Amino acid sequence: MHDMPNQVSPRTKVRLFTDDCMVCCEVKSHQLQDQVTLQRDLHALQLWAERWGMRFNPQKCDIMHIAHQAHRVQMYELCGVTLDSVTQAKYLGAIISADLQWHSQVCAVAKKANTTLYFIYRTLKYCPRSSRATAYTSVVRSGMEHCAGIWDPPPPKQQDKNTLEKVNRRTLVCSTTRPGTITASAPPPCCNPLAGITRGKALQPTHGAHVQHHT
């Protein structure tokens, strides 16, 4: 696997993680040669896999076009199959959108956190508050912090921040109430799942970038 990135052209980047492979390349819409180069790189990877007795599954591969403006979608082939073009793809636990907005990622994180939070409440509802707080920190918060340096919504995305704050409020209720009682209060700062996290540099769209994602 270590020689796989050497099969493509210098402008094409290959990222490997366990059984996932992502190929990305800047393709300018007015230059046909860039599209030909990317297709040639995909064919080179196909030959590399066959040489080592392996084969890509084109049904689990797709193309994502990331650009500032809408443009004609160029189709690419792998193993004789035309790859589907998608607007979202999950990579290393984060949902990447073609417009580089993180609304889908925030909703997915909040949904998973709420499901886990209710499971903890049902299972540990008669346990001490400290036990429930430990379970929240180790299970719920750790999941919400995954890749937060990238998708942590900027100030204009108030809707996404509100979605995360709802998880905070439910956490406070579940950790401070006994079964059969309901209270409402603002969450303390310590319950903020993104507290203490340094915001990472925001990703900026690259004109005509094409991402090939293998799952």
Side-chain angles (χ1 to χ4, degrees):
M1 294 292 291
H2 65 280
D3 63 333
M4 187 177 180
N6 300 330
Q7 310 303 314
V8 300
S9 58
R11 292 184 55 194
T12 303
K13 306 299 181 183
V14 178
R15 298 290 183 264
L16 302 175
F17 185 80
T18 60
D19 60 345
D20 282 343
C21 172
M22 181 176 69
V23 180
C24 54
C25 177
E26 181 179 3
V27 177
K28 297 182 179 180
S29 58
H30 60 281
Q31 293 187 4
L32 181 61
Q33 183 60 35
D34 292 343
Q35 302 174 5
V36 174
T37 299
L38 181 56
Q39 179 59 65
R40 185 169 59 244
D41 290 338
L42 294 177
H43 183 65
L45 293 176
Q46 174 185 340
L47 296 178
W48 172 88
E50 293 175 353
R51 185 165 62 251
W52 286 97
M54 299 182 293
R55 185 177 186 274
F56 287 102
N57 185 354
Q59 305 301 328
K60 295 185 177 181
C61 303
D62 46 53
I63 288 284
M64 180 187 296
H65 303 263
I66 302 177
H68 287 289
Q69 299 178 351
H71 62 285
R72 184 175 62 86
V73 176
Q74 175 66 28
M75 306 306 296
Y76 298 92
E77 293 185 358
L78 182 65
C79 300
V81 178
T82 301
L83 301 178
D84 295 331
S85 179
V86 298
T87 57
Q88 292 182 350
K90 192 171 185 179
Y91 183 66
L92 300 184
I95 300 176
I96 302 176
S97 300
D99 56 1
L100 290 183
Q101 299 297 316
W102 302 101
H103 178 71
S104 298
Q105 170 67 13
V106 171
C107 291
V109 168
K111 181 179 179 180
K112 183 177 180 180
N114 285 324
T115 302
T116 307
L117 183 61
Y118 286 132
F119 172 78
I120 292 175
Y121 179 67
R122 293 193 305 269
T123 306
L124 305 178
K125 59 184 177 181
Y126 294 110
C127 294
R129 177 180 177 181
S130 59
S131 299
R132 284 177 281 171
T134 301
Y136 164 78
T137 303
S138 59
V139 181
V140 180
R141 175 166 176 154
S142 60
M144 296 185 71
E145 289 179 345
H146 179 67
C147 297
I150 299 176
W151 59 260
D152 183 7
K157 299 298 181 181
Q158 189 61 40
Q159 178 183 0
D160 293 340
K161 285 186 174 293
N162 291 339
T163 300
L164 297 176
E165 285 302 323
K166 290 180 180 179
V167 180
N168 289 341
R169 298 187 184 97
R170 294 188 181 98
T171 300
L172 181 64
V173 172
C174 293
S175 62
T176 59
T177 61
R178 289 294 183 180
T181 63
I182 299 178
T183 60
S185 176
C190 62
C191 290
N192 185 357
L194 302 181
I197 299 177
T198 303
R199 188 191 307 276
K201 182 177 180 182
L203 295 178
Q204 298 296 330
T206 301
H207 178 74
H210 289 246
V211 177
Q212 169 67 32
H213 179 224
H214 297 231
T215 56

